[in-house]
Amino acid sequence: MKTILKLFIMLFCVVSFGQTTIKGEITDNTGLPLPGANIIIVGTTIGTVSDFDGVYTLTTDQSPPFSIQITYTGFENQTIKVTSSSQTINVTMAEGNELDEVVISASRTPERIFESPVTVERFGLKEIKNTASADFYGGLENLKGVDVNTSSLTFKSVNTRGFATTANTRFMQLVDGMDNSTPALNFPIGNLVGLIETDVQSVELLPGASSALYGANAFNGVLFMRSKNPFDYQGISAFVKKGITSQKAAGDNEYTDLGIRMAYKFSDKFAAKVNFGYLNGTDWAATSEVDSDLFGGTRATNLNYNGINVYGDEVSANINDLAGGTGIVPDVFVSRTGYNERDLTENKAQSIKADWGLYYRPITDSNFEIQYVGKVGTGTTIYQGTNRYNIDGFFQEQHKLELKNDNYFVRGYVVADKAGDSYDMVFTGININRAWKSDADWFGDYINTYVAATLGGGATDTQAHAAARAAAETGRFEPGSTQFNNAFNRIIKDPDLATGSQFQDASKYYHADGNYNFSHLTDIADIQVGGSYRQYKLNSFGSIYTDYDGTIDYSEFGVYTQIQKELELNDDMNLKITASARYDKSEYFDGFVSPRLSLGLTLNENHNIRASAQTGFRNPTTQDLFIGLDAGRAILVGSAPDNLERYTRDFTASDGTVYTQTGAAAYNNSYSASSVQEFGETGDTSVLRVANPDLVSPEKVTSFEVGYRGKFDKLTIDFSTYYNKYQDFISSEVVIAPLYGSVDDGSAIAAIASSDFTTYSAYTNSQVDVNSYGASIGLSTKVLSDFDLGGSYTFTKQDFDQAANPNFETNFNTPEHKFKAHFGNTELFKNFGFNVAYKFSDDYFWEATFGDGIVPEFHTVDAQINYKIPSLKSTIKIGGTNIGGKEYFTVFGSGYIGSMYYASWTINNL
């Protein structure tokens, strides 16, 4: 027994002797604790994170001497040598500035923002916690040069440097390396199925073309969201946010946003995490009755009234044509009476999302890691594209497997979506009308009543039209009635747009990419190589795309390389040269090379001048290629070669003859819509212009940028200016295809004169010169000792001759002038902080297929106060957005944005 006891004591001593424990507290220069500071053993992946009180404990089998590095966003890194197996190391961090923060996106390798070869914006943990916006994603609009277009409460579209719609296919959004654009729509849908706030590690944004490293979709920029690794951030953290949204149209409504994160490090080799988020509220109601047919028109003053947020009145006809040219019937267009959007949606805004991750590090003292990450999300929101869509129960899932270390990564993932119970509100209004009374019967009643009132009753033209509409409207389904509700419920479940409005989709894409950095193998230069492959499987069941007989499959791939070299010119001057190039190939188009060259000159460690030149491109989207959708205003037909004949439909001419027409007619036998309109007004056949647009091909941009970053004591400056020149600008062109005859020999004129034609929207490239240029400057400093003060100004302008090209829309959709400012203090007094943010946007003209119009200038003020309760590891925040309540909108046709007021409680969010 004594022998066993001796052996046990000896073994215990050996084990104890073999372990090193370091503990201590991390504080700032005022003595306040810094929760969430990273403490890591230099040269390894072994580390820990300080808790809510700034306290940490790190235990390792490694014997002294060795060094630990302490990092915390917004503070200078510190490296300290460990000399004892049981040592207390208390660290006071010196505050740095935002230019010292590390980013990865600019060069796919860690580097300080100060030394980045291109413009990059960062939104870190400090900014996320102190944002005055209602959530971190909304806080992105406070970044320099960033625009956020709001379709609805839960659908926000981020963009930079112009040319944006809510369907922003020019901008890429990556979450932990995964593209989270929807397979069906080909663009991100905000943060509807993204990260929850307590799991966000950092957000980086690259404005402008980034195709040289990130491929075709990174045309206007890339947004990178990185989540917390459970090896570094453990425990349970949660938040709950309650408040109201306030809007004149929708009133005051409850708003709830909550999330929970659970992460656990089971050993030095295995860790896992789970996140859950829930948001519920009422959307910004869209109630515009502005007439898109006649400036200043109303239903009372315009027979052909077509209200922006009124649906069903898109159906119109020339009543003289319908009457066979009868002289007493006026030669005017008349539209049916529509339904307001508020009658066709509950304005529900909801998001439910969850994600989980398993992280495995099989090799001791190695940073090699294997990850499996899964994400699912479902939501209800309003999306504005060609029409307004009620996205109800939309579902998206992602699954990723990744192998990585400091020098390489290889990942593969799948993204799949389902449309749920989503529907098109425009066609809902149209088909409720038709469920009650067909178009033929409605216009017949209108014409007969007009004639009777004119001939028999001696009515004036105005009186006759009023009587005609009243008679045609007799028995109409009124909103809320049993007939209306029954028709509504049936139509939104019917995917045939001739009778219904359901939006169907179950598309997906598979993606693989990898990168290897050779910097650990050679000192000559930092060299990286990488590549990606994507396979699309479109499946809209024929409701969006021409996938009537099964999925549409197509693929694309790319490879790239980058070489980066830093040269020490003298003791006070360093030059960093970065050159990269990428080759991309879609199966439908020739390959394209995107090069980028950038120079960064650092002077006296406090000043950096950068310049870059690059080309970028974007492939036509899935909709540009494969759509086959009757949107009411026009039939949208994608221009992939095998798509033209796949779209086919029968049309009845004025003499009753049925003609079968395919999508090829839009591209091979069509007139421009503007010339047909002019022909209708003048009767002059010489004004007709053959359209026959070319099939769409990739769009290209050449971009030049110069920038400066500098530090003057407490003042930091970040300035950039750019010029972009576009080639083969992708656009849509409205064309008129006659049902019979040829536009080449003039035999189609008879069809045009008899209104025997179809209106198409074709996808093509414009040969018009389109350029844009702009500049941004950001300033930040400390005032009154420790108050944060910052601001930015952005100028953006397109160089395009609109007068010479009246029928061409670039969808620039960006204010010429923007100004943003913030003022706050994270520690005004013990545990109490505040932040105030101000935004100004100049007015601008919005162009999109749904509607064109002015977006007026607006000013907003957001503010929050927060109080930390260390004993509960909690932070209480009370805040409001658009305080003062002057409502505004950023997207023409969307709801006015009102105010939000909230109170939140966050627990253990380091």
Side-chain angles (χ1 to χ4, degrees):
M1 186 68 180
K2 290 181 179 179
T3 302
I4 294 174
L5 182 61
K6 289 178 181 178
L7 289 172
F8 178 79
I9 293 172
M10 291 174 62
L11 180 61
F12 177 79
C13 291
V14 169
V15 173
S16 299
F17 180 77
Q19 284 195 331
T20 300
T21 300
I22 312 114
K23 59 184 180 180
E25 183 179 6
I26 311 297
T27 60
D28 65 12
N29 54 8
T30 67
L32 293 171
L34 294 177
N38 284 290
I39 303 96
I40 191 168
I41 298 175
V42 175
T44 76
T45 59
I46 300 170
T48 188
V49 178
S50 61
D51 64 16
F52 200 85
D53 299 314
V55 174
Y56 74 95
T57 300
L58 177 60
T59 301
T60 177
D61 293 331
Q62 190 166 335
S63 299
F66 58 84
S67 296
I68 59 172
Q69 184 180 61
I70 301 93
T71 60
Y72 192 85
T73 301
F75 290 80
E76 296 178 1
N77 297 348
Q78 290 203 35
T79 301
I80 299 174
K81 193 167 186 179
V82 176
T83 58
S84 169
S85 60
S86 179
Q87 189 170 346
T88 298
I89 300 177
N90 296 319
V91 181
T92 300
M93 302 290 285
E95 190 167 1
N97 61 65
E98 59 266 33
L99 297 185
D100 294 318
E101 295 173 359
V102 174
V103 294
I104 301 173
S105 56
S107 303
R108 285 191 181 266
T109 188
E111 60 190 347
R112 291 193 306 156
I113 288 181
F114 182 74
E115 299 169 342
S116 169
V118 293
T119 299
V120 60
E121 304 294 332
R122 189 178 189 277
F123 202 59
L125 287 175
K126 178 183 176 182
E127 291 78 16
I128 291 170
K129 292 176 183 178
N130 290 300
T131 180
S133 300
D135 56 45
F136 85 92
Y137 200 85
L140 297 177
E141 60 186 320
N142 293 312
L143 294 177
K144 171 169 57 67
V146 174
D147 298 298
V148 176
N149 295 318
T150 301
S151 280
S152 61
L153 185 68
T154 53
F155 188 180
K156 299 179 178 181
S157 178
V158 178
N159 190 58
T160 62
R161 300 186 177 178
F163 305 105
T165 65
T166 53
N168 194 3
T169 55
R170 296 168 173 267
F171 193 86
M172 178 181 286
Q173 184 168 290
L174 300 176
V175 180
D176 289 331
M178 290 187 289
D179 186 350
N180 76 339
S181 62
T182 67
L185 303 175
N186 219 201
F187 57 85
I189 52 173
N191 199 41
L192 190 66
V193 290
L195 294 178
I196 71 163
E197 195 159 307
T198 50
D199 194 41
V200 180
Q201 169 70 34
S202 67
V203 180
E204 297 176 21
L205 190 144
L206 281 181
S210 305
S211 302
L213 287 181
Y214 295 100
N217 290 340
F219 197 69
N220 265 30
V222 190
L223 177 67
F224 304 82
M225 292 189 282
R226 188 160 57 99
S227 68
K228 296 174 180 175
N229 189 304
F231 276 110
D232 301 323
Y233 294 87
Q234 301 159 46
I236 298 175
S237 56
F239 72 92
V240 59
K241 189 179 299 177
K242 291 285 292 184
I244 64 167
T245 56
S246 180
Q247 185 201 28
K248 292 177 183 177
D252 294 342
N253 296 280
E254 288 189 8
Y255 170 83
T256 301
D257 186 11
L258 58 88
I260 184 170
R261 178 184 188 271
M262 296 177 285
Y264 187 71
K265 179 181 174 182
F266 293 90
S267 68
D268 287 339
K269 293 189 175 183
F270 181 68
K273 70 174 181 179
V274 177
N275 292 288
F276 174 79
Y278 172 80
L279 182 150
N280 189 62
T282 299
D283 221 325
W284 306 122
T287 58
S288 174
E289 296 184 5
V290 170
D291 188 1
S292 61
D293 177 74
L294 178 68
F295 181 77
T298 66
R299 171 49 71 197
T301 61
N302 182 15
L303 297 173
N304 199 38
Y305 171 77
N306 182 7
I308 291 295
N309 296 130
V310 182
Y311 312 129
D313 54 6
E314 293 80 8
V315 176
S316 73
N318 185 305
I319 57 176
N320 182 265
D321 289 345
L322 294 179
T326 303
I328 195 170
V329 179
D331 185 14
V332 295
F333 279 85
V334 172
S335 65
R336 294 193 66 168
T337 304
Y339 292 95
N340 290 324
E341 181 173 310
R342 59 177 172 267
D343 299 323
L344 303 174
T345 178
E346 296 178 344
N347 282 319
K348 186 177 181 181
Q350 188 178 79
S351 171
I352 303 172
K353 52 196 173 189
D355 65 81
W356 55 91
L358 306 176
Y359 299 74
Y360 181 54
R361 295 176 177 175
I363 304 173
T364 303
D365 294 338
S366 169
N367 55 21
F368 174 66
E369 184 172 284
I370 303 172
Q371 300 179 1
Y372 161 68
V373 174
K375 295 177 178 290
V376 296
T378 183
T380 297
T381 188
I382 302 294
Y383 159 61
Q384 181 172 311
T386 301
N387 292 331
R388 293 269 292 176
Y389 301 88
N390 190 91
I391 305 298
D392 186 7
F394 178 87
F395 177 84
Q396 181 167 308
E397 62 180 319
Q398 296 177 291
H399 299 277
K400 179 187 74 169
L401 183 64
E402 181 171 4
L403 286 71
K404 61 183 291 187
N405 70 5
D406 284 345
N407 304 313
Y408 69 86
F409 69 80
V410 178
R411 69 170 73 99
Y413 59 88
V414 59
V415 183
D417 65 29
K418 293 181 180 179
D421 296 321
S422 304
Y423 59 92
D424 182 328
M425 289 189 286
V426 171
F427 275 96
T428 302
I430 289 172
N431 286 320
I432 290 177
N433 268 340
R434 289 172 175 169
W436 154 61
K437 183 183 288 188
S438 71
D439 293 340
D441 288 344
W442 191 92
F443 284 109
D445 291 345
Y446 191 103
I447 293 169
N448 291 335
T449 304
Y450 180 91
V451 171
T454 303
L455 293 179
T460 65
D461 180 68
T462 300
Q463 292 170 336
H465 278 297
R469 183 169 296 277
E473 293 293 288
T474 302
R476 182 172 184 260
F477 294 167
E478 293 300 323
S481 68
T482 301
Q483 298 98 320
F484 177 91
N485 292 338
N486 290 340
F488 174 83
N489 291 330
R490 182 180 68 255
I491 287 166
I492 64 172
K493 298 294 185 183
D494 181 359
D496 184 352
L497 293 184
T499 54
S501 62
Q502 186 181 30
F503 169 56
Q504 288 187 313
D505 189 73
S507 297
K508 63 179 65 174
Y509 57 81
Y510 301 90
H511 185 96
D513 61 337
N515 177 276
Y516 196 93
N517 190 324
F518 292 89
S519 60
H520 64 297
L521 299 178
T522 177
D523 294 330
I524 297 175
D526 288 343
I527 303 172
Q528 297 184 63
V529 296
S532 64
Y533 173 83
R534 179 170 293 188
Q535 173 76 41
Y536 290 92
K537 295 182 74 69
L538 305 179
N539 184 20
S540 72
F541 309 97
S543 66
I544 306 171
Y545 302 110
T546 57
D547 49 2
Y548 313 111
D549 302 322
T551 62
I552 296 174
D553 299 348
Y554 77 104
S555 62
E556 57 193 30
F557 71 89
V559 293
Y560 63 87
T561 185
Q562 176 177 277
I563 301 174
Q564 191 172 73
K565 178 67 176 179
E566 189 163 357
L567 304 174
E568 185 176 344
L569 303 181
N570 57 47
D571 291 342
D572 297 320
M573 186 181 301
N574 293 323
L575 177 66
K576 179 186 284 188
I577 305 172
T578 306
S580 56
R582 180 179 176 113
Y583 174 81
D584 283 272
K585 175 74 172 69
S586 166
E587 68 175 83
Y588 283 97
F589 306 105
D590 294 335
F592 186 80
V593 176
S594 305
R596 182 179 81 177
L597 176 65
S598 63
L599 304 174
L601 182 67
T602 301
L603 306 170
N604 300 321
E605 297 185 351
N606 289 322
H607 307 279
N608 179 272
I609 301 170
R610 64 188 186 276
S612 65
Q614 59 185 309
T615 63
F617 81 106
R618 72 179 184 106
N619 282 324
T621 67
T622 53
Q623 295 188 47
D624 297 337
L625 295 173
F626 303 109
I627 198 168
L629 176 66
D630 185 346
R633 302 171 178 83
I635 296 174
L636 315 181
V637 178
S639 68
D642 56 354
N643 194 65
L644 303 185
E645 298 296 334
R646 204 159 47 219
Y647 183 85
T648 180
R649 185 172 164 184
D650 291 338
F651 298 93
T652 302
S654 56
D655 63 359
T657 304
V658 176
Y659 294 89
T660 299
Q661 192 175 72
T662 69
Y667 295 88
N668 301 328
N669 192 44
S670 63
Y671 291 112
S672 69
S674 59
S675 71
V676 170
Q677 181 179 356
E678 187 177 356
F679 168 70
E681 295 170 350
T682 65
D684 181 1
T685 59
S686 67
V687 301
L688 289 171
R689 295 287 179 268
V690 175
N692 291 353
D694 294 332
L695 301 184
V696 72
S697 61
E699 179 181 338
K700 308 169 187 67
V701 64
T702 303
S703 180
F704 304 94
E705 180 181 319
V706 176
Y708 167 78
R709 300 183 184 98
K711 295 183 286 186
F712 298 87
D713 192 19
K714 293 182 179 181
L715 176 67
T716 62
I717 301 174
D718 192 351
F719 169 79
S720 63
T721 183
Y722 67 91
Y723 183 84
N724 292 338
K725 184 175 181 62
Y726 295 87
Q727 181 182 350
D728 295 328
F729 197 93
I730 293 177
S731 62
S732 59
E733 182 177 346
V734 179
V735 299
I736 304 297
L739 296 183
Y740 48 86
S742 170
V743 300
D744 292 325
D745 61 14
S747 60
I749 294 176
I752 300 299
S754 300
S755 297
D756 292 336
F757 57 77
T758 307
T759 303
Y760 287 97
S761 181
Y763 295 85
T764 186
N765 301 87
S766 173
Q767 300 308 310
V768 172
D769 290 330
V770 179
N771 306 308
S772 68
Y773 55 93
S776 291
I777 185 169
L779 306 173
S780 62
T781 187
K782 290 280 190 181
V783 297
L784 304 176
S785 181
D786 58 354
F787 285 80
D788 297 311
L789 176 64
S792 67
Y793 166 75
T794 301
F795 171 79
T796 312
K797 182 84 170 177
Q798 75 166 332
D799 180 10
F800 168 65
D801 190 351
Q802 185 71 67
N805 302 276
N807 298 317
F808 179 69
E809 292 189 344
T810 64
N811 298 333
F812 190 67
N813 298 340
T814 303
E816 189 168 314
H817 305 282
K818 294 191 297 287
F819 175 73
K820 305 172 183 179
H822 67 270
F823 178 69
N825 191 320
T826 57
E827 203 74 20
L828 182 62
F829 53 83
K830 187 175 182 180
N831 296 326
F832 181 86
F834 78 96
N835 191 27
V836 179
Y838 167 80
K839 295 187 296 292
F840 161 76
S841 172
D842 198 6
D843 60 5
Y844 56 99
F845 189 73
W846 181 271
E847 299 174 329
T849 51
F850 181 72
D852 299 346
I854 294 291
V855 176
E857 70 171 49
F858 59 86
H859 308 253
T860 67
V861 175
D862 305 340
Q864 62 88 5
I865 57 173
N866 63 83
Y867 184 72
K868 294 185 285 289
I869 309 174
S871 60
L872 300 177
K873 299 183 177 180
S874 298
T875 301
I876 305 295
K877 181 190 283 190
I878 298 174
T881 65
N882 193 21
I883 295 173
K886 185 174 181 180
E887 298 181 359
Y888 66 100
F889 58 89
T890 59
V891 175
F892 182 76
S894 66
Y896 275 84
I897 300 169
S899 302
M900 296 180 67
Y901 301 96
Y902 63 88
S904 68
W905 177 22
T906 304
I907 306 171
N908 201 33
N909 186 30
L910 303 180

